[in-house]
Amino acid sequence: MNDIKGYCEPRFGAVHEALAGLLAKEDVGASAAVSIDGEPVVDLWGGYADADRSVGWERSTLACVNSTTKNMTALCALILVDRGLLDLSAPVAAYWPEFAAAGKEGVLVRHVLSHTAGLPDLPTPSDLPNPSGLPGLSGPRTVEELYDWEGVTAGLAAQAPAWEPGTAAGYHALTFGFLVGEIVRRITGRGLGEFFAEEVAGPLGADFHIGLPAEHDHRVAPLIPPPSLTDAYAASAPPGPDGARRENTGVAVRVADVNAPAWRRAQIPAVNGYGNARSVALVQSVLANRGTAGGVRLLSPQGCEPAWQEVFNGADRVLGTPMSWTAGFGKFGNAFGWGGWGGSLVVSDPDARMTVAYVMNQMIDRERQEDDRGMEIVMAAYGGMH
């Protein structure tokens, strides 16, 4: 049963073909969506929500999209910038005074959003000054400690940067969400997930959640580890430019952790967003369409521009590859966006006013094989534009 369900404008038939092709090969269940001018033109899904292929992937099926969540977290920050409540050029410490510790008084909001703040790793005991000798600033060592928002953010506030902020980039895999989320919390008094639900998902009617309430558990398609691997498969930093592996993000997150209820309930806004291609594309189409989607305006046309204006271009110390970073997004030519561990992806093109999203449950280990699934959907969507 690889029947594709949903809606697809005829000119985007190549997207339907691409999704069908993926489901006939490696994918178990997946969804693909395209928005133009803030309106859906493709909304497709198919396959199965479980590894046993016994439960169909439905219209309402959700999956954890891992780092594709960063696009949502960044949007929250840009909304505050657009409202005049947050300044990309201001020091983080202007909003979060404790953050000025250990030489971070010059870290700007822009540095945090562009992965140039020098805080790519979660704090470990040896990183942190602790003159009081009190426990509590030891930094996360287990996945469970990621669920302690105050503990993680206090550790990051006390940590010294790994390089002079703004001079280099290094992908902030887990810390991005805590840093941006704490800035949002200091300004609004709301956690990132709450702010997103009230200011973004609610107005748009988007079925995307940063942290997932228990009533939605029955809709979740658990992530399936890459072929030949088990749910002990863990996210790890890719090799650095010298080929050496950088394992110290502070904690190893396994597929089993991501599939656990405790992960769903937590606030880890770099990585624990839940949605499907429809909701991912709907939210991000706001930025591609000058601030509106579905007739709802979330920010001004000018407020969208930091999403595609380059902040850093050069070698990323963590990813080990050249990267262009904007305020919250990866930049790829005229397009911007980001993907998640295992394969999910969203790409927006402000010139075409197009957003393309792909969300799946079957993960691929990019160290063992190329994962071009999301880009297949993106390129198929571009084909429909001509």
Side-chain angles (χ1 to χ4, degrees):
M1 182 201 91
N2 274 336
D3 293 343
I4 307 286
K5 297 176 180 155
Y7 166 76
C8 181
E9 282 191 8
R11 63 179 170 139
F12 291 101
V15 177
H16 188 289
E17 290 177 26
L19 183 62
L22 294 175
L23 286 166
K25 292 185 294 184
E26 53 261 271
D27 271 349
V28 175
S31 54
V34 182
S35 290
I36 305 283
D37 296 327
E39 299 292 340
V41 294
V42 176
D43 177 13
L44 298 171
W45 62 92
Y48 299 90
D50 64 326
D52 294 334
R53 299 176 184 255
S54 63
V55 178
W57 185 293
E58 304 292 345
R59 185 182 192 277
S60 63
T61 297
L62 304 173
C64 183
V65 300
N66 292 323
S67 284
T68 298
T69 311
K70 289 182 174 70
N71 300 277
M72 308 301 179
T73 296
L75 172 61
C76 292
L78 294 186
I79 288 172
L80 293 180
V81 172
D82 193 50
R83 293 178 182 175
L85 299 173
L86 178 63
D87 182 350
L88 290 172
S89 299
V92 172
Y95 309 97
W96 177 3
E98 302 93 319
F99 189 81
K104 296 195 302 303
E105 56 279 346
V107 178
L108 308 181
V109 174
R110 179 179 286 107
H111 296 154
V112 166
L113 282 161
S114 62
H115 301 270
T116 61
L119 299 167
D121 297 329
L122 289 158
T124 59
S126 60
D127 292 330
L128 301 172
N130 192 6
S132 66
L134 293 172
L137 289 183
S138 59
R141 304 302 313 202
T142 67
V143 167
E144 287 71 29
E145 287 173 86
L146 290 177
Y147 308 155
D148 174 11
W149 183 270
E150 292 184 359
V152 175
T153 53
L156 287 168
Q159 190 178 15
W163 60 79
E164 184 183 341
T167 64
Y171 182 51
H172 288 40
L174 289 170
T175 59
F176 181 90
F178 291 106
L179 294 166
V180 177
E182 183 64 7
I183 293 168
V184 170
R185 192 183 75 81
R186 294 293 177 121
I187 293 170
T188 68
R190 288 179 278 178
L192 196 287
E194 183 185 3
F195 181 87
F196 178 86
E198 294 176 356
E199 303 289 347
V200 180
L204 292 175
D207 188 11
F208 193 94
H209 313 263
I210 299 175
L212 191 71
E215 65 258 29
H216 300 297
D217 277 354
H218 68 283
R219 301 198 283 137
V220 174
L223 293 178
I224 303 168
S228 80
L229 296 174
T230 71
D231 64 4
Y233 171 60
S236 62
D242 56 358
R245 296 198 58 77
R246 299 177 75 268
E247 299 293 355
N248 178 32
T249 56
V251 61
V253 177
R254 306 164 303 157
V255 177
D257 298 316
V258 176
N259 285 338
W263 181 273
R264 296 176 191 168
R265 304 295 171 259
Q267 280 289 294
I268 317 172
V271 291
N272 83 327
Y274 289 79
N276 45 42
R278 176 191 317 108
S279 59
V280 171
L282 171 58
V283 173
Q284 291 299 304
S285 69
V286 169
L287 292 169
N289 191 45
R290 307 299 192 268
T292 69
V296 177
R297 178 166 292 282
L298 291 192
L299 64 175
S300 71
Q302 296 76 21
C304 299
E305 294 175 6
W308 60 82
Q309 290 172 339
E310 187 173 87
V311 176
F312 176 88
N313 191 315
D316 186 290
R317 294 185 177 196
V318 173
L319 299 177
T321 186
M323 271 301 303
S324 171
W325 290 113
T326 73
F329 303 86
K331 190 174 193 299
F332 312 97
N334 293 331
F336 65 92
W338 197 242
W341 179 45
S344 64
L345 179 68
V346 62
V347 172
S348 293
D349 183 333
D351 296 333
R353 294 183 184 243
M354 178 173 76
T355 297
V356 186
Y358 164 76
V359 172
M360 73 314 126
N361 54 1
Q362 175 64 65
M363 305 175 78
I364 285 183
D365 182 354
R366 295 185 65 171
E367 290 178 30
R368 300 187 180 204
Q369 71 178 99
E370 283 293 312
D371 184 4
D372 298 324
R373 295 172 297 170
M375 284 309 299
E376 277 190 48
I377 301 295
V378 171
M379 297 316 294
Y382 272 107
M385 296 295 291
H386 303 304

